[in-house]
C-alpha cells in the first residue's frame, strides 16, 4: 500500500467528536448498571445468600460478558470497514465485562480498590507500551490493520476494568458518588483543555480521556442504582440499564457515525 493509499485509509473506529465522547460516557455508565444487574441483582452477589449456591456472581457475570466481548471483538476485527453498531456493541461488552471482572478482583480476590487499580493501571500502560514498540505508535490512525486493532481492544478492555476499580475507590471515600463524578469530570475537562492549549501528544491525551470516561461512568452508574443510605438514588438497575441502552441507540442513530481517516488523524496529531 502506497502512502497516498494509506492517507485515505479509513480506520475502523469512529471519528473522535463530541458525540463520540457522549456515547462513550453513556456506554460506560450502562456497563456499570448492566454488570451490576447480572452479578448483583440476578446472581445475588451482594445478598445475604451470596456464594451459597457454589457460584461466584462476579465470575459468572464475567464469563457471560467476556464471551460476548470475545465474539463481538472477533467480528469487529474481521470486519473490513467501520460498522457503528458493531463497534459500539463491542464497547458496551468490554465495559460490562470490565465491571464484573474488576468487582471480582477487588472484592472476591481481596486485593481491594487500591490493589486492583494499581494492577489494572499497570496492565493498561504495558499494553500501550507493547503496542507502541510493535507498531511504532498508539494512535487510532493505525486501527485499520488486525494487529493494531487487537492492541486497541486489549487496551480498551484493561482500561474499562481499571475504570471500575478506580471509580469505586474514589467514590467509597468521603467524596461519595457525586464528588467522585466531579473529580473525574474535572480531570476530563483538563485533558480537553490540554488538547487545545498544549502540544502534548494527542494519542496520549486521547487515551487519558478514554480511561477517565470509565470511572466517570462507573460512579454515575452507582449513583443511579445504589441505596439511598449509601448516597445513591436506588433506582432499578434493570430500568436504568434500559434507559441508557435506549439513549445510546438513539444517539448512534441520529449522530453522524463516520470512521476516522488516517489523514484526519495525522492533521490532528501534527
Amino acid at each position: 500500500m502506497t502512502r497516498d493509499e494509506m492517507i485515505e485509509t479509513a480506520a475502523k473506529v469512529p471519528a473522535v467528536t463530541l458525540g463520540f465522547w457522549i456515547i462513550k460516557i453513556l456506554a460506560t455508565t450502562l456497563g456499570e448498571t448492566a454488570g451490576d444487574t447480572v452479578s448483583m441483582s440476578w446472581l445475588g452477589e451482594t445478598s445475604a445468600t451470596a456464594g451459597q449456591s457454589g457460584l461466584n456472581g462476579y465470575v459468572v457475570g464475567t464469563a457471560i460478558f467476556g464471551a460476548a466481548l470475545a465474539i463481538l471483538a472477533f467480528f469487529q476485527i474481521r470486519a473490513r470497514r467501520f460498522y457503528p453498531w458493531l463497534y459500539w456493541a463491542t464497547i458496551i461488552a468490554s465495559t460490562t465485562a470490565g465491571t464484573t471482572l474488576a468487582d471480582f478482583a477487588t472484592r472476591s480476590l481481596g486485593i481491594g480498590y487500591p490493589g486492583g487499580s494499581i494492577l489494572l493501571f499497570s496492565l493498561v500502560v504495558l499494553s500501550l507500551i507493547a503496542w507502541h514498540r510493535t507498531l511504532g505508535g498508539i494512535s487510532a490512525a493505525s486501527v485499520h490493520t488486525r494487529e493494531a486493532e487487537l492492541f486497541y481492544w486489549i487496551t480498551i478492555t484493561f482500561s474499562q476494568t481499571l475504570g471500575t476499580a478506580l471509580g469505586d475507590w474514589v467514590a467509597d471515600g468521603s467524596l461519595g458518588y457525586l464528588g467522585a463524578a466531579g473529580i473525574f469530570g474535572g480531570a476530563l475537562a483538563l485533558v480537553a483543555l490540554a488538547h487545545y492549549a498544549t502540544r502534548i501528544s494527542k494519542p496520549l491525551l486521547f487515551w487519558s480521556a478514554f480511561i477517565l470516561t470509565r470511572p466517570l461512568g462507573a460512579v454515575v452508574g452507582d449513583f443511579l442504582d445504589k441505596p439511598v443510605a449509601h448516597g445513591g438514588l436506588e433506582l432499578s438497575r434493570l430500568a436504568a440499564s434500559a434507559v441508557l441502552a435506549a439513549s445510546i441507540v438513539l444517539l448512534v442513530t441520529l449522530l453522524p457515525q463516520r470512521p476516522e481517516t488516517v489523514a484526519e488523524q495525522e492533521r490532528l496529531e501534527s
Side-chain angles (χ1 to χ4, degrees):
M1 182 179 293
T2 67
R3 175 170 174 78
D4 288 342
E5 290 172 329
M6 285 289 290
I7 288 178
E8 293 305 319
T9 298
K12 288 169 59 184
V13 297
V16 181
T17 62
L18 178 60
F20 169 87
W21 291 116
I22 293 173
I23 298 172
K24 173 61 168 61
I25 292 171
L26 288 174
T28 60
T29 308
L30 172 59
E32 188 71 18
T33 57
D36 288 349
T37 296
V38 172
S39 65
M40 297 180 185
S41 296
W42 294 352
L43 297 173
E45 190 55 41
T46 55
S47 68
T49 59
Q52 291 183 8
S53 65
L55 295 176
N56 183 296
Y58 299 130
V59 172
V60 175
T62 299
I64 293 171
F65 295 123
L69 173 59
I71 293 169
L72 288 166
F74 172 80
F75 285 108
Q76 169 69 25
I77 292 172
R78 294 280 297 177
R80 294 182 177 274
R81 62 184 180 87
F82 168 63
Y83 294 97
W85 294 109
L86 179 57
Y87 175 85
W88 286 112
T90 310
I91 286 288
I92 291 169
S94 72
T95 193
T96 46
T99 295
T100 53
L101 181 57
D103 286 343
F104 172 72
T106 58
R107 297 171 184 174
S108 297
L109 292 184
I111 61 176
Y113 297 136
S117 298
I118 293 170
L119 171 62
L120 292 162
F121 179 75
S122 300
L123 291 174
V124 172
V125 171
L126 288 173
S127 178
L128 290 172
I129 291 173
W131 183 358
H132 189 278
R133 288 188 174 180
T134 302
L135 299 179
I138 57 173
S139 168
S142 67
V143 187
H144 54 81
T145 67
R146 289 180 180 175
E147 188 174 22
E149 197 166 10
L150 182 60
F151 278 116
Y152 180 83
W153 288 108
I154 289 173
T155 304
I156 281 178
T157 301
F158 284 149
S159 74
Q160 305 282 42
T161 310
L162 164 64
T164 298
L166 185 60
D168 287 346
W169 185 13
V170 175
D172 277 6
S174 59
L175 292 174
Y177 300 123
L178 292 181
I183 292 292
F184 295 120
L188 275 172
L190 290 176
V191 172
L193 179 63
H195 173 82
Y196 292 106
T198 73
R199 297 185 64 83
I200 296 175
S201 166
K202 296 302 186 286
L204 180 60
L205 290 174
F206 168 80
W207 283 109
S208 297
F210 199 97
I211 291 169
L212 284 169
T213 59
R214 181 61 183 106
L216 175 61
V219 295
V220 171
D222 282 341
F223 174 69
L224 294 176
D225 63 33
K226 288 299 187 287
V228 174
H230 295 165
L233 296 179
E234 206 166 352
L235 302 178
S236 163
R237 291 183 177 120
L238 184 59
S241 299
V243 171
L244 289 164
S247 300
I248 292 170
V249 169
L250 182 64
L251 288 175
V252 173
T253 301
L254 296 179
L255 296 180
Q257 293 289 304
R258 60 180 177 83
E260 194 71 274
T261 65
V262 175
E264 287 171 326
Q265 284 289 324
E266 287 182 345
R267 284 196 296 270
L268 182 65
E269 294 162 17
S270 62

